[in-house]
Amino acid sequence: MMLLEENQIAFHSQDGLIFDGVKDYSRQIAEMMGLGSDSEFFQAGVRTVLDIGCGFGSFGAHLVSLKLTALCVAAYEATGSQVQIALERGLPAMIGNFISRQLPYPSLSFDMVHCAQCGIVWDKKEGMFLIEFDRLLKPGGYFVITSPISKPPGRATSSKKRSMLTPLAQFTEKICWSLIAQQDETFIWQKTADAYCYSSLKKNEVPLCKEGYDTPYYQTLMPCIIGASSKRWIPIQNKSSSPDLSSVELEVHGNPEDFFDDLQVWKLALKNYWSLLTPLIFSDHPKRPGDEDPLPPFNMVRNVMDMNAHYGGLNAAFLEEMKSVWVMNVVPVRARNTLPLILDRGFPGVFHDWCEPFPTYPRTYDLLHANGLLSHLTSERCSLVELFVEMDRILRPEGWVVLSDKLGAIELARAHAT
């Protein structure tokens, strides 16, 4: 799967789970959705994709080349980790176990959920895996499953395909999904954009969750459907063609003026960060920027974590400056819940409790950024020492930490860092 080309590792475009090559596979999915090619995903409202069990990350890498956001989620593996490989390739990825608990994202967060031989047994847990994906999908969003199977002689192939499809077909009808296409071993369902469909469900089969229920920080899987009462119930086909949120979409999240002010602040902050980091990249000791310092490589930083992301302003500033990085936008669980806004902007993001380990492998991020996080945590049950040890675990050797906070918190941080 990998070739050594001079001093870099190159990945085949063909993934072991996608036999015809990832570009052909992506184009096939687009055509099954009624599109001319996969370059039309964005115009069709598909901008954020949750890739469950992403293999070697080939599909995610291809989507990123199409200017889409693909977030890989896979279970922890002691060897041969899918998440580790995706992160090494500079792709958004995190460890996630969706067998017993909800994933740490709010409802209505993704335009597509993709699963290529992701190992889920669909007829287990009375359909709760599909209910979880229904919770995560935006109205009008797509659920794509590819399950390559061997082709023995006779009718065994078709019977195996039917046995895989039957529990899916039976349950998807109950939760207002439509099977819009099937080709070879790839099936595509579309979630309803009709808000009234859920109210017509048979209550004894799939009940609606109680009003106001949506606290997805590792809650147990729920056997109920999140209804369509959310203000964020906006079909993906109704999105504006612009990559930025429209004024209508911003109104859903509260204060547009505060949002735009935040964006201007982070544009300036990023320029300051970069001017400070550039000379340090080639220096053994911190020093002031000097004219004699060479420019760093364009990809000196690829994997960035914003540990207290607020509106995702740092992520937006990176994009505007055309830096070749991606940002994992983390919203602390007891901070103001801005994660729906971050995800609606098309950025990767997740809830997290910083008194616990972050679901990633050691040495996976080049730069950690925290604005106001230390002050936020001083009233928590965990100490700054524990936070710094976790940051050290996540950070690559010679990686960078940028802290911005109140003076007292920074003095504490300075002592811990030393």
Side-chain angles (χ1 to χ4, degrees):
M1 298 307 299
M2 296 178 283
L3 293 172
L4 189 63
E5 294 181 353
E6 295 182 352
N7 63 339
Q8 291 190 326
I9 292 173
F11 287 79
H12 285 274
S13 64
Q14 186 168 329
D15 196 300
L17 302 181
I18 301 169
F19 296 111
D20 294 328
V22 70
K23 291 181 181 177
D24 291 339
Y25 174 70
S26 180
R27 187 169 59 249
Q28 176 191 340
I29 290 174
E31 290 171 354
M32 290 170 69
M33 291 166 53
L35 306 176
S37 73
D38 54 4
S39 63
E40 297 177 17
F41 275 144
F42 196 91
Q43 289 85 347
V46 176
R47 304 174 191 184
T48 54
V49 179
L50 183 65
D51 197 4
I52 305 290
C54 55
F56 296 102
S58 299
F59 185 56
H62 179 66
L63 293 177
V64 168
S65 75
L66 299 174
K67 309 298 184 190
L68 274 60
T69 297
L71 175 58
C72 164
V73 175
Y76 169 77
E77 299 166 279
T79 58
S81 160
Q82 302 171 64
V83 168
Q84 184 82 54
I85 291 176
L87 288 165
E88 293 295 345
R89 296 182 72 167
L91 299 171
M94 58 179 284
I95 299 168
N97 182 356
F98 36 85
I99 300 303
S100 60
R101 297 186 177 276
Q102 292 181 348
L103 291 170
Y105 317 114
S107 301
L108 312 178
S109 293
F110 297 96
D111 306 316
M112 178 185 286
V113 174
H114 173 260
C115 157
Q117 202 177 11
C118 55
I120 295 177
V121 183
W122 298 105
D123 54 354
K124 294 287 180 68
K125 288 188 177 279
E126 300 176 334
M128 282 199 283
F129 299 140
L130 286 172
I131 288 176
E132 171 65 353
F133 292 149
D134 180 85
R135 183 184 74 80
L136 295 173
L137 274 175
K138 292 178 180 288
Y142 299 92
F143 176 61
V144 181
I145 179 170
T146 297
S147 182
I149 53 178
S150 58
K151 298 184 178 179
R155 300 181 180 177
T157 299
S158 59
S159 63
K160 186 170 183 179
K161 190 187 297 183
R162 277 200 305 273
S163 67
M164 185 208 77
L165 181 61
T166 300
L168 280 165
Q170 291 175 344
F171 198 81
T172 50
E173 290 180 10
K174 298 178 184 177
I175 58 174
C176 300
W177 289 10
S178 303
L179 179 62
I180 62 169
Q182 184 264 314
Q183 185 177 330
D184 301 325
E185 277 73 47
T186 299
F187 303 84
I188 302 180
W189 280 266
Q190 187 171 22
K191 177 177 174 174
T192 185
D194 179 8
Y196 298 102
C197 181
Y198 291 120
S199 58
S200 63
L201 294 173
K202 294 181 181 178
K203 299 294 188 293
N204 59 338
E205 287 189 343
V206 187
L208 294 179
C209 297
K210 292 180 181 178
E211 199 68 32
Y213 168 80
D214 189 17
T215 52
Y217 187 65
Y218 295 119
Q219 297 291 316
T220 55
L221 290 174
M222 299 294 289
C224 61
I225 290 283
I226 297 286
S229 58
S230 169
K231 292 179 181 177
R232 294 173 63 229
W233 184 272
I234 301 173
I236 66 170
Q237 292 77 11
N238 293 358
K239 287 181 185 175
S240 61
S241 56
S242 166
D244 301 317
L245 294 181
S246 67
S247 57
V248 175
E249 290 168 322
L250 274 175
E251 285 291 343
V252 168
H253 295 285
N255 189 341
E257 188 176 324
D258 187 24
F259 171 81
F260 287 118
D261 288 345
D262 182 74
L263 187 58
Q264 298 308 314
V265 165
W266 287 111
K267 280 186 196 174
L268 180 60
L270 180 63
K271 287 179 180 176
N272 290 337
Y273 292 163
W274 221 249
S275 67
L276 290 169
L277 277 173
T278 298
L280 299 180
I281 295 295
F282 293 102
S283 172
D284 293 331
H285 302 285
K287 61 179 182 180
R288 292 184 179 279
D291 294 334
E292 75 282 1
D293 292 300
L295 287 174
F298 77 96
N299 61 343
M300 67 176 186
V301 172
R302 295 190 310 169
N303 299 357
V304 176
M305 179 183 288
D306 195 351
M307 300 171 70
N308 189 17
H310 198 41
Y311 291 133
L314 182 67
N315 195 153
F318 270 120
L319 285 177
E320 189 155 313
E321 289 292 312
M322 293 189 289
K323 304 293 185 189
S324 56
V325 309
W326 70 274
V327 181
M328 178 63 81
N329 296 280
V330 183
V331 175
V333 290
R334 279 171 283 280
R336 181 185 167 200
N337 181 11
T338 54
L339 187 55
L341 173 59
I342 290 170
L343 291 164
D344 285 353
R345 296 180 77 178
F347 301 159
V350 63
F351 287 123
H352 184 62
D353 182 348
W354 280 114
C355 292
E356 299 174 6
F358 188 83
T360 191
Y361 291 85
R363 302 174 297 281
T364 46
Y365 283 86
D366 304 318
L367 187 147
L368 304 180
H369 174 261
N371 176 47
L373 179 67
L374 305 183
S375 297
H376 173 73
L377 283 180
T378 51
S379 60
E380 300 286 341
R381 66 183 186 278
C382 51
S383 69
L384 290 188
V385 176
E386 292 171 318
L387 177 69
F388 271 66
V389 169
E390 174 61 2
M391 290 165 70
D392 184 77
R393 184 187 73 88
I394 294 172
L395 203 61
R396 294 185 190 277
E398 299 189 339
W400 302 91
V401 179
V402 179
L403 298 176
S404 174
D405 219 303
K406 296 175 182 174
L407 182 60
I410 289 295
E411 288 303 325
L412 273 175
R414 193 191 306 275
H416 291 319
T418 304

